[in-house]
Every structure is written in C-alpha cells, then in structure tokens.
Amino acid sequence: MQSPTYLHDLLASTLFTEGLDGEMDLWALGFSAVWIKGVDLDALASIYQLDLSTRTPCHLSDILDQNIDDGSRLVAEVGDWVSIVPASADRERLVSITAGGREAFGLSMDISNRTYFHYVRGGRLVTSFSPTWPESRFGDDPHALDHLMDGLRFQISADDVFDDRVDREESVSSALTLIGRFTGTDIATDWFEAQHSCIRPTS
C-alpha cells in the first residue's frame, strides 16, 4: 500500500537528488508547475520564451541544476498534455495562456508555506483552492473536480489531531493525484520518472 504522501515524497526526492536537509523542501524551493492541453511546442516556446534548438533529453532529477546553470525548464509531453517545470502557475498567467480553448492546471508552493491549485479552461478560472484548505474555493464552477476527488484528503489536520492526520505533504499528493486523474496519466511514471526534455530560454 502506497504512503498517502507518496507523490509529494517522490517529487521531493526526485528534485533534491542530494537528499533533503533540514532547511530545504518544496516550499522553501518555491516549486511551481503547469500542465497544459491544446498547445504545441512552437506556441509553448513563444509563451515561455524557450529556444527549441537547445532541446536536450533530461529527467526531472536534472532540472534543478540545469535551471540554476542556464535557466532551462523541463518540458514533458504526455498524451495531449504538456507540463513545464518550473513555470509560473498563478491564476492570471493561466487565464492568459488558456485563451482560445486551452486547458491548464497550476500547482505551486511558496516560502510562506502557502500552496495553490488552479484549473483554468478557455481563458476562465474554473476552480481554484488551496490544497491545505479546500473548503474555500473560487472560480466559475468551484466544485467542477469533485467527482475526481474520491479518497483524496486535502484539509490539513489541526495541531491537536494525532491519529490519521492529514499533513501538507498529503494535501500536495492529493492535488497531484487529482491532476493525474483528470489528465488520464500516471503522475509518477509518466511525469516524474520518465525522460523528457530540457529547453533553455531564448537569449
């Protein structure tokens, strides 16, 4: 049986290939990623100022060093979806890039311990919530993804709850599972562990 924090832990251990120390985690890193449907690589390169001539094979485990060295992003194509890491995942950015019928998910964590999840379609915010506090939702259809949430746990437990707690790592795993269910992909093997591409920014 997989740990309820499996996808979070896999993401962290893949990115931080030297292992986590006491100071570094996905929130301290400022992790952000997007998944987009309905965009080809040429359009993607224009949106994110990527130089497709620099495209080289790589894994997610390579991207931290590559991004520090030359600003490269991981570009992962699976089925009809393309993921970019790192990539701005704020609502306004996603609304802008989905105009014209595209769909996108954004997941981000920041150093202030906040986590954001957005689903945007056709230039409109469908639903947006914090995985650690999902009761407050925003968008045109805040409960649009509820039918895919069976068995997922987001709401982190209060400090006085000791049994069967939900911690922030499980809430992130649930968000990643939700993205996998919607996109029809395996987040672990299709996205985190598979070989994709690193692409440098345009000069």
Side-chain angles (χ1 to χ4, degrees), residues 141-153:
D141 187 0
H143 297 281
L145 303 178
D146 284 9
H147 66 289
L148 297 172
M149 293 185 181
D150 185 50
L152 302 181
R153 304 198 307 167

Side-chain angles (χ1 to χ4, degrees), residues 3-138:
S3 162
T5 64
Y6 169 66
L7 287 177
H8 163 274
D9 296 344
L10 178 61
L11 174 59
S13 64
T14 302
L15 283 171
F16 301 113
T17 53
E18 299 301 317
L20 288 171
D21 60 31
E23 302 298 322
M24 182 56 71
D25 58 23
L26 295 174
W27 287 264
L29 173 67
F31 175 83
S32 63
V34 298
W35 287 257
I36 308 171
K37 182 180 180 182
V39 62
D40 59 28
L41 280 185
D42 287 335
L44 195 70
S46 177
I47 292 168
Y48 286 97
Q49 290 80 53
L50 299 174
D51 181 354
L52 294 181
S53 71
T54 67
R55 184 180 184 184
T56 57
C58 76
H59 289 84
L60 181 61
S61 56
D62 303 319
I63 199 57
L64 265 188
D65 288 340
Q66 292 270 20
N67 184 257
I68 291 169
D69 288 345
D70 58 24
S72 288
R73 300 174 192 261
L74 180 82
V75 177
E77 300 172 87
V78 181
D80 295 329
W81 292 83
V82 181
S83 181
I84 309 168
V85 181
S88 174
D90 64 84
R91 282 181 286 185
E92 292 75 15
R93 179 70 164 158
L94 294 176
V95 165
S96 173
I97 65 177
T98 57
R102 297 170 181 149
E103 292 180 271
F105 286 96
L107 178 64
S108 61
M109 289 153 265
D110 67 28
I111 198 168
S112 298
N113 206 31
R114 294 172 297 199
T115 309
Y116 302 95
F117 177 95
H118 309 300
Y119 170 54
V120 183
R121 182 178 61 231
R124 299 187 66 85
L125 179 68
V126 178
T127 185
S128 173
F129 60 89
S130 168
T132 59
W133 187 260
E135 297 306 312
S136 296
R137 304 186 195 186
F138 307 92

